Amino acid sequence: MSSYQLNIEEILANIMEIGAHTVGLQFPEGLKMYATSVARQIEEETGANVIISGDPCYGACDVSDTAMKGLVDLLIHFGHTPLPLEYDVPVLFLEAEFQLDVTPSVIKALNLLKDYKKIGLVTTAQHLHLIDEITGILKENGKEVIMKEGRGTQKAQVLGCNFSSIENLSVDAFLFLGSGNFHPLGIKLSTDKPVIIADPYHNEARNIHEFTDRMMRIRFAKITKAREGERFGIIVSSKKGQYRMELAQSLKDTIEAEGKQAFIIFMNQITPELLVPYRDLDAFVVTACPRIAIDDANIYDKPLLTPEELLIVLDKKEWGDYVMDEIRYED
Ligand code: SF4
């Protein structure tokens, strides 16, 4: 099945084991093209009826258990590892392992890591199965590899909202395996250590520092603009793993204590179109997925801030203490 490996046998065994009559399937955007073939295989081999979730899904923060409660006996959520949340129906999390050759990009990354001995290895869920292979390459090249589990994440795994697996790691530099800049940016800002990306999709290696400088200039501009604001929207997500109403309430109190106005807006999807009716607000604070304010900044005409950035806007924190927003489920 293309370059993703889905463990269909595990699915079939689970369905048989619990005797599920109706099974829900939920795929992240990049895997939705496999939905109908998986559904067909399940229906043919188990006799169960399958319902596919058609809503957008970007993480394990957004499991459709509540929406499918009463509809399905088992929900299979693909492509993400579970978060420490309670679900309304039995959920089987099935990682989708991306099959790719990591060696060339890791070899290139070694050039950029030549001055460092102790390397913190970090990646995302779809590459966790490659960790041993990369560790082998690093060790063969004289490196010491350091990894640990995080709160709600596996060894070496980070999420865009959870960098706990790299907290207090004693390393000289980090090697991130994957594509995109958001996770390496989070590692850089959380640790202030050199972060090298081995990107097997583009067969390249790069240092995150230039991107970090560019992104920080953009964030500084957003914060500066938001300082002029008098009326703030505080967005709370109805997605179970992104829901932070308590935080939103405390931010509202903080804003109002400064003599400004704040309004809590509760929503499931966050898009520029859905914020159009709130033209009278000067800036938004996003307590939902931390990626929204950073990754999507340029599609919104008003500043979108993380909760951490709001504290800088209100002079409760220094710009020099900038950190990424993280969702802490134990809070
Ligand atoms: S909140 Fe955002 S970064 Fe965290 S798991 Fe969900 S989609 Fe990923």
Side-chain angles (χ1 to χ4, degrees):
M1 182 174 280
S2 180
S3 40
Y4 273 107
Q5 193 70 43
L6 301 176
N7 189 345
I8 298 289
E9 299 311 317
E10 190 180 344
I11 298 174
L12 301 178
N14 262 269
I15 293 170
M16 298 300 203
E17 192 185 322
I18 71 165
H21 296 293
T22 308
V23 176
L25 300 184
Q26 188 183 24
F27 294 84
E29 299 315 289
L31 295 178
K32 276 197 166 76
M33 70 276 236
Y34 302 125
T36 54
S37 65
V38 173
R40 190 173 176 95
Q41 202 171 344
I42 290 173
E43 290 191 337
E44 282 178 359
E45 296 194 29
T46 68
N49 186 38
V50 171
I51 298 174
I52 300 166
S53 167
D55 288 329
C57 172
Y58 299 101
C61 55
D62 189 16
V63 175
S64 58
D65 57 312
T66 307
M68 289 202 170
K69 187 177 174 186
L71 284 180
V72 301
D73 307 312
L74 173 68
L75 172 60
I76 302 167
H77 180 100
F78 293 85
H80 302 119
T81 52
L83 293 172
L85 298 169
E86 288 187 4
Y87 298 103
D88 293 334
V89 296
V91 183
L92 170 65
F93 285 85
L94 212 77
E95 287 165 43
E97 299 181 348
F98 204 87
Q99 305 301 308
L100 72 185
D101 182 7
V102 292
T103 308
S105 61
V106 174
I107 296 290
K108 286 179 185 168
L110 277 167
N111 272 333
L112 302 174
L113 290 167
K114 62 179 181 317
D115 296 333
Y116 310 113
K117 169 85 177 159
K118 289 160 78 177
I119 308 299
L121 184 53
V122 192
T123 191
T124 50
Q126 70 270 36
H127 308 120
L128 285 171
H129 62 291
L130 299 166
I131 284 293
D132 288 345
E133 186 184 341
I134 301 165
T135 300
I137 300 173
L138 292 174
K139 283 188 173 168
E140 275 165 24
N141 286 274
K143 306 294 183 191
E144 192 182 325
V145 180
I146 298 172
M147 301 174 271
K148 70 174 173 79
E149 288 176 12
R151 293 181 297 275
T153 49
Q154 297 183 17
K155 187 174 77 176
Q157 182 191 12
V158 288
L159 301 171
C161 58
N162 183 339
F163 293 93
S164 55
S165 68
I166 55 165
E167 234 171 56
N168 305 321
L169 269 196
S170 168
V171 300
D172 302 323
F174 285 94
L175 174 64
F176 174 80
L177 178 84
S179 64
N181 289 318
F182 188 86
H183 296 94
L185 172 72
I187 299 165
K188 176 78 189 164
L189 293 176
S190 305
T191 64
D192 206 22
K193 295 270 167 80
V195 180
I196 303 302
I197 303 165
D199 179 345
Y201 299 88
H202 299 98
N203 193 11
E204 65 175 25
R206 60 186 188 276
N207 194 316
I208 194 65
H209 64 71
E210 271 176 32
F211 179 84
T212 307
D213 289 349
R214 203 161 61 240
M215 186 52 76
M216 286 299 94
R217 280 198 292 277
I218 294 170
R219 299 322 298 167
F220 191 79
K222 302 277 175 204
I223 288 170
T224 305
K225 187 164 180 211
R227 278 182 191 278
E228 299 159 9
E230 289 299 322
R231 293 161 63 81
F232 291 80
I234 304 172
I235 297 172
V236 179
S237 175
S238 59
K239 297 181 197 305
K240 199 182 280 182
Q242 299 185 17
Y243 176 80
R244 290 191 286 176
M245 186 60 85
E246 224 174 279
L247 170 65
Q249 292 287 356
S250 97
L251 295 175
K252 185 174 193 292
D253 292 345
T254 309
I255 293 170
E256 289 175 346
E258 295 297 312
K260 297 174 186 268
Q261 294 181 10
F263 305 87
I264 292 179
I265 304 169
F266 186 53
M267 56 206 299
N268 189 267
Q269 298 297 324
I270 302 166
T271 65
E273 295 72 32
L274 290 172
L275 296 187
V276 165
Y278 309 101
R279 287 181 200 286
D280 57 327
L281 300 180
D282 302 314
F284 295 91
V285 185
V286 184
T287 66
C289 172
R291 298 192 63 156
I292 296 169
I294 310 283
D295 272 356
D296 299 345
N298 60 357
I299 61 171
Y300 291 87
D301 53 358
K302 300 279 174 69
L304 256 58
L305 306 169
T306 67
E308 295 285 339
E309 290 173 338
L310 176 74
L311 298 180
I312 300 174
V313 166
L314 299 177
D315 289 325
K316 305 291 175 202
K317 275 186 84 168
E318 300 283 331
W319 168 248
D321 297 329
Y322 188 103
V323 288
M324 293 289 266
D325 177 32
E326 292 188 57
I327 299 179
R328 297 179 191 276
Y329 296 101
E330 71 275 20
D331 289 351

